[in-house]
Amino acid sequence: VAKQYDAIATIAGDEGMVPFIDKAVAAGIPVATFNSETAKENQRLFFVGADLYLQGQSAGENMCKVLGNKGEVAIITGFFAVEAHELRRTGFEDALAKNCPEVKVVGKVENSDKGDIAYNQAKDFMTANPNLSAIYVTAGGPFGAAKAIEEAGKAGKVHMISFDFVDETMEYVQKGVIDGTIGQNPFAQ
């Protein structure tokens, strides 16, 4: 706003962005949001991106299929405070409850969107839950969790669903360690 840009495009990961978006619009600068949107209404001109709750539901429905409707799942999210991550998490959990109520969520942690943290968390989940069937990663760092699964020799035994088509993640999809990942095509956004 201070630099008087002609327009602003931004990711709106949580409602803390709303006052800044509204301030820019009030100053006559059109704002578009992409990739993630706040649940709280704002004055942005338009949003381009996926329905994040629906993404979580899709991940949950696919997890039910992968697990044959029974098992234990751990959830690793980027940040509990980021609305996009929470929408993916709640959509996932709602899909499990509706489609495969015998699948139990054994824990939920945040990894600050870091692969090395997800790696340690996945190891901890597998150690603490010897019957762990799957790990769901809502945001950044799925390759860290996949590395832990692979190193433990549990590929195909501990299933995994995640997000994004980044190279590190796709390597684990090709190896069969990650059962599925949902892409967003951020370049197109």
Side-chain angles (χ1 to χ4, degrees):
V1 174
K3 293 188 177 192
Q4 300 177 334
Y5 286 114
D6 294 323
I8 298 171
T10 186
I11 293 172
D14 62 66
E15 73 176 53
M17 289 291 294
V18 170
F20 300 103
I21 292 168
D22 291 350
K23 182 178 178 182
V25 172
I29 301 170
V31 176
T33 57
F34 65 98
N35 189 264
S36 64
E37 175 67 305
T38 68
K40 185 174 181 182
E41 210 172 295
N42 62 69
Q43 298 301 309
R44 54 111 173 110
L45 186 59
F46 61 87
F47 167 70
V48 176
D51 179 323
L52 299 160
Y53 181 82
L54 185 60
Q55 284 184 331
Q57 282 184 314
S58 179
E61 290 165 4
N62 282 293
M63 185 65 80
C64 290
K65 290 175 188 172
V66 168
L67 296 180
N69 300 328
K70 60 184 177 197
E72 296 180 356
V73 178
I75 297 174
I76 300 174
T77 191
F79 298 93
F80 290 118
V82 172
E83 288 179 42
H85 301 174
E86 281 298 278
L87 287 168
R88 285 180 177 168
R89 183 185 64 77
T90 57
F92 178 80
E93 290 186 72
D94 289 350
L96 293 183
K98 178 182 176 186
N99 300 301
C100 55
E102 292 184 35
V103 173
K104 178 184 174 191
V105 175
V106 295
K108 307 169 204 174
V109 294
E110 64 181 9
N111 71 351
S112 302
D113 273 349
K114 303 221 182 298
D116 57 336
I117 295 173
Y119 170 81
N120 289 321
Q121 290 168 330
K123 284 175 52 174
D124 291 347
F125 273 128
M126 288 185 288
T127 300
N129 303 281
N131 296 320
L132 188 70
S133 309
I135 297 173
Y136 170 58
V137 183
T138 72
F143 44 86
K147 179 180 177 185
I149 292 169
E150 182 179 54
E151 285 181 359
K154 294 191 175 187
K157 295 174 187 154
V158 174
H159 298 278
M160 189 174 149
I161 293 180
S162 64
F163 287 89
D164 298 324
F165 292 164
V166 297
D167 291 342
E168 297 94 332
T169 299
M170 295 311 295
E171 288 175 26
Y172 285 104
V173 170
Q174 291 170 350
K175 290 180 182 180
V177 179
I178 296 177
D179 293 85
T181 191
I182 298 171
Q184 303 180 82
N185 198 356
F187 181 77
Q189 290 177 21

